[in-house]
Amino acid sequence: MTADQENRIETLIARVALGDQAAFSALFDATSGKLLAVCLRVLTERAAAEDAMQDAYVKVWKNARRYQVTGHSPMTWLITIARNTAIDRLRARRIDHDVDDFSERIAAPGLTPEQSAIAASDSRRIIGCMAELEPDRRAAISGAYLRGQSYKDLSDQFDVPLNTMRTWLRRGLSALRECMSR
């Protein structure tokens, strides 16, 4: 946000503090998109976010005289009001439930023992299959798919043409796929 925009918003807030409805309308037009996004991020439902944003603007109308120019962006003040309003609405929606009510619906974080065993087995198989590849092909596949190196970087590193590197990777993945299916 530019300094001119900040000054304009500060001026609008000052005019709103004096009860200027036109300034309030202009402030809404200038800031509602950002404040709706803030409310939507907290509440995730558009209708609830719009209601929270409306409540936030009511608070702005009632408390504009409390705004003080402190060197901070006026949007920070407005965003704080919108965010706190959305959080208050979120808290009001929550109903206390006994933990036992959710015990069968909430999955434990992380892998199940079965998933862990399968992942460990797959990991050993992949390591074994990688060991079957030629060292330069194995290094190229590791670079591309584990370290995120580009095809161009790999072709430079191995001093081969770019299309050759693509062929190495394609054939290496094909060999890994075949090995994993055995």
Side-chain angles (χ1 to χ4, degrees), residues 14-99:
R15 287 176 46 204
V16 168
L18 298 173
D20 185 339
Q21 292 179 358
F24 184 72
S25 178
L27 180 66
F28 180 87
D29 291 342
T31 60
S32 61
K34 179 68 173 176
L35 297 191
L36 178 60
V38 169
C39 292
L40 195 55
R41 197 173 317 128
V42 173
L43 296 168
T44 67
E45 296 173 5
R46 186 167 184 92
E50 288 173 351
D51 289 344
M53 182 184 72
Q54 184 177 2
D55 287 350
Y57 277 105
V58 169
K59 290 177 182 179
V60 168
W61 175 259
K62 290 180 178 178
N63 297 303
R65 68 184 184 287
R66 292 185 181 176
Y67 175 74
Q68 297 176 357
V69 178
T70 60
H72 298 330
S73 169
M75 281 303 294
T76 303
W77 183 72
L78 294 169
I79 289 169
T80 301
I81 291 172
R83 182 177 172 277
N84 290 344
T85 301
I87 290 171
D88 289 345
R89 281 182 158 259
L90 186 64
R91 287 179 181 149
R93 281 194 325 203
R94 291 188 182 150
I95 300 170
D96 291 332
H97 292 284
D98 191 333
V99 172

Side-chain angles (χ1 to χ4, degrees), residues 116-161:
S116 294
I118 291 170
S121 173
D122 287 348
S123 176
R124 285 189 298 273
R125 287 179 52 211
I126 290 171
I127 291 169
C129 289
M130 287 286 285
E132 292 179 13
L133 296 175
E134 296 176 34
D136 54 354
R137 304 319 194 260
R138 180 175 50 244
I141 288 176
S142 294
Y145 299 105
L146 299 178
R147 291 188 300 276
Q149 291 178 281
S150 70
Y151 290 180
K152 174 73 172 120
D153 291 342
L154 290 169
S155 70
D156 292 343
Q157 178 182 339
F158 290 96
D159 196 30
V160 296

